[in-house]
Amino acid sequence: MQPIEKALKNVFDFIGSDYTYPVGPYLTDDFGMGIQCRNPFFGQVPTPLRFGFGTQQELNVFLTQTKDKYPLVWLVYPLEETHNNNAQAFYTYPTARLVFAINSDSDKLVQTRVQTTRFVLDQIIEKFEKLMRNSHFKKYVYVDKIANIKQIFRANYSENKKDGKVIDVWDAVSFDCIIHFLSDCLPKN
């Protein structure tokens, strides 16, 4: 395996806390249902993205042992890798899955989640996609521009369990894509 994890960490470290939370203590329903909801992020300051990788079991260990863990981007293992057999060191990850997650309250409606947690996750994903298309990172790591990207918004996602008990309740977006990586071009730092 090549250090695709290091390359992706560089990207997410660059994004850092460059996103915003919804404004105001209460949000008015954008969908005409007349619901006004409490803004779960009111008064909070964005914190830097956390990046991790591994299997579901390793994710569960990370979640139980880490205090400041959100927003989180997790590279899901197993991770399939193909590469050419020459000196260029060009690697492809044809079934890469990144999970973008933020903690959530389990009693919120999906309408509320779209205006709060999804609002945050969409900003982070948009910044990630932009960096993969138009930045210095595309010299060594980028998302395939021809293949489709599949995103699934998973409201109230709580498959992260240990001993049958939910560790955390998330709102998450799974992001399935093809990632290309040129290991020879990865900055040495």
Side-chain angles (χ1 to χ4, degrees):
M1 264 305 169
Q2 295 303 311
I4 183 66
E5 299 83 2
K6 183 176 179 183
L8 289 172
K9 181 169 180 8
N10 288 347
V11 173
F12 293 116
D13 284 352
F14 186 83
I15 294 172
S17 56
D18 186 20
Y19 59 92
T20 60
Y21 287 131
V23 178
Y26 291 93
L27 302 172
T28 304
D29 178 25
D30 284 345
F31 303 100
M33 302 203 49
I35 299 170
Q36 197 171 53
C37 63
R38 183 186 63 79
N39 180 356
F41 302 113
F42 182 68
Q44 292 185 29
V45 176
T47 57
L49 286 173
R50 297 291 304 260
F51 172 73
F53 53 90
T55 65
Q56 180 69 46
Q57 183 178 2
E58 291 167 322
L59 172 60
N60 292 346
V61 169
F62 171 82
L63 292 174
T64 56
Q65 294 181 354
T66 308
K67 183 179 179 208
D68 298 322
K69 50 194 159 194
Y70 298 109
L72 172 66
V73 181
W74 192 265
L75 176 63
V76 177
Y77 275 43
L79 183 62
E80 179 184 343
E81 175 186 280
T82 62
H83 61 275
N84 57 10
N85 193 19
N86 62 38
Q88 285 182 307
F90 184 80
Y91 296 83
T92 297
Y93 301 86
T95 57
R97 172 172 280 177
L98 294 165
V99 175
F100 294 79
I102 196 162
N103 56 334
S104 176
D105 294 335
S106 61
D107 62 342
K108 300 286 187 230
L109 298 172
V110 172
Q111 291 100 317
T112 304
R113 295 172 190 288
V114 167
Q115 291 181 244
T116 57
T117 54
R118 183 156 182 191
F119 173 81
V120 174
L121 293 172
D122 285 347
Q123 288 177 70
I124 295 167
I125 292 168
E126 184 179 313
K127 289 180 186 312
F128 172 70
E129 287 181 323
K130 185 176 180 181
L131 290 172
M132 293 294 93
R133 284 190 306 266
N134 306 315
S135 74
H136 66 278
F137 294 110
K138 72 179 185 175
K139 294 175 187 171
Y140 63 91
V141 63
Y142 58 95
V143 172
D144 192 285
K145 295 171 182 71
I146 297 172
N148 289 333
I149 294 169
K150 179 180 175 183
Q151 289 186 46
I152 300 174
F153 177 58
R154 300 175 187 275
N156 196 18
Y157 189 57
S158 55
E159 288 188 12
N160 45 1
K161 298 178 182 175
K162 185 172 182 178
D163 301 325
K165 296 180 182 174
V166 172
I167 299 169
D168 282 337
V169 177
W170 285 358
D171 285 343
V173 174
S174 61
F175 186 95
D176 298 340
C177 62
I178 299 171
I179 297 176
H180 300 290
F181 174 61
L182 292 112
S183 66
D184 292 346
C185 299
L186 182 66
K188 310 281 189 249
N189 45 345

